[in-house]
Amino acid sequence: MNIKAFIQLMRPANLVTAVADVWAGAAIAGAIPPAFDWRSFLTLSAATVGLYGGGVVFNDVFDAQLDAVERPERPIPSGQVSIEAAIFQGTVLHLLGIGAASLCSLESGIIAAAIAILTLSYDRFAKHDAILGPLNMGLCRGLNLLLGVSLIPELLSDYYAVGFLPIIFIAAITMISRGEVHGGHSRTMLFAGILYAVVEIAQLTFGYMQGHLLEALPLVLIHAFMVFKPLLTAYQNPIGPNIGKAVKAGVLSLIIMNAAWCMAFGAWPLGLATLLLLPFSLQLAKWFAVT
């Protein structure tokens, strides 16, 4: 059994960004260490690993025939992992994610189940649609942020609107990722840049409203530099490799964006802890593909 191939199916560097979503959501709910439920916090962190991991495994299951042509080095088309084994892996990860979230609260379990359903709908149907694909993937991330907010379930009604911002950001990444193999269009990069800017301005606005603008500002600026530099290169020359770098930067920058959310809501301990996830994710990105 090729353990590394099974790990590769889960996109480990991407999993870290999913954990960062939950931490940011917890910060938005007002969970500032040490005064909050550590057990539920860690359980929700584990739940998102199962949900995201299961989603990307099923992505490769449904794309097996396409990957055999475009990405033959991936675990399934290369024969390192069978379709049956991948289906089992994805199913177990999803069930573990829903189960872990349900241990925290009914609301957390419902959100987790919705994420699992949305990941499957994206993998099987929506990803090939120019509008539904980005929207579906964005919904997964938006709900993932709210999964963190569900650490304090009664606050979900107060902060559900924040979940729309990851939808915008992830929709932009998903939109430009369509050109990773065959290249894309400059206008797509331009539109993605506008969506990125909308999210960053919103973060600064929330920081101002919460009285923590100065804490959030440096991280928002770092995030902007991280995503706009490769995006500009892809805009100037929208070939596959340049777009791939822009997509990778967008995915990994989620950690910075989530740390900015923590700072915007005054949860600097969680913000610093989230930042520490970045070098870990970057190291994983050297060992495993980021898509």
Side-chain angles (χ1 to χ4, degrees):
M1 180 182 296
N2 189 337
I3 300 299
K4 184 177 180 179
F6 281 96
I7 296 174
Q8 170 62 49
L9 279 175
M10 296 172 61
R11 312 289 198 282
N14 302 44
L15 292 182
V16 179
T17 71
V19 172
D21 290 342
V22 168
W23 291 9
I28 291 170
I32 302 176
F36 72 104
D37 185 349
W38 279 98
R39 180 177 295 179
S40 293
F41 176 77
L42 294 175
T43 301
L44 289 175
S45 300
T48 195
V49 170
L51 295 169
Y52 194 106
V56 291
V57 168
F58 275 111
N59 176 74
D60 280 19
V61 168
F62 290 121
D63 277 0
Q65 292 184 345
L66 181 63
D67 285 343
V69 177
E70 295 184 348
R71 297 181 176 97
E73 74 282 356
R74 283 189 170 181
I76 293 176
S78 66
Q80 299 175 76
V81 177
S82 68
I83 286 284
E84 294 77 14
I87 291 173
F88 179 77
Q89 180 185 3
T91 301
V92 169
L93 286 169
H94 268 161
L95 291 176
L96 287 175
I98 296 170
S102 299
L103 291 175
C104 297
S105 68
L106 175 62
E107 292 85 350
S108 298
I110 292 172
I111 292 172
I115 293 172
I117 292 170
L118 282 168
T119 59
L120 290 172
S121 69
Y122 174 81
D123 294 338
R124 181 64 180 88
F125 303 108
K127 71 181 299 182
H128 302 294
D129 187 278
I131 297 176
L132 291 179
L135 177 61
N136 190 322
M137 180 55 71
L139 281 169
C140 292
R141 282 287 184 168
L143 285 175
N144 203 39
L145 185 70
L146 293 181
L147 184 65
V149 177
S150 73
L151 182 69
I152 306 177
E154 56 268 26
L155 293 182
L156 280 167
S157 60
D158 295 333
Y159 293 112
Y160 72 90
V162 179
F164 286 103
L165 293 170
I167 294 175
I168 295 172
F169 187 80
I170 295 301
I173 296 176
T174 305
M175 184 172 57
I176 65 175
S177 71
R178 295 176 181 277
E180 278 189 277
V181 177
H182 301 297
H185 302 282
S186 293
R187 64 177 179 274
T188 304
M189 310 305 141
L190 177 62
F191 186 51
I194 293 172
L195 294 180
Y196 285 172
V198 167
V199 173
E200 289 161 352
I201 292 170
Q203 283 194 302
L204 293 176
T205 301
F206 273 102
Y208 174 77
M209 292 169 59
Q210 297 291 323
H212 300 288
L213 176 61
L214 293 180
E215 294 98 315
L217 181 58
L219 289 178
V220 173
L221 291 176
I222 292 171
H223 178 263
F225 176 79
M226 188 172 181
V227 296
F228 279 107
K229 187 175 183 293
L231 188 65
L232 178 60
T233 300
Y235 171 79
Q236 294 170 335
N237 187 16
I239 61 174
N242 288 344
I243 291 175
K245 291 177 182 178
V247 172
K248 180 178 179 178
V251 172
L252 296 180
S253 77
L254 284 164
I255 294 174
I256 302 295
M257 186 176 79
N258 284 316
W261 278 122
C262 294
M263 294 300 190
F265 280 81
W268 65 265
L270 270 182
L272 294 178
T274 301
L275 279 177
L276 292 177
L277 293 176
L278 182 59
F280 181 48
S281 184
L282 289 172
Q283 184 58 53
L284 288 173
K286 294 179 181 179
W287 296 337
F288 302 97
V290 177
T291 55

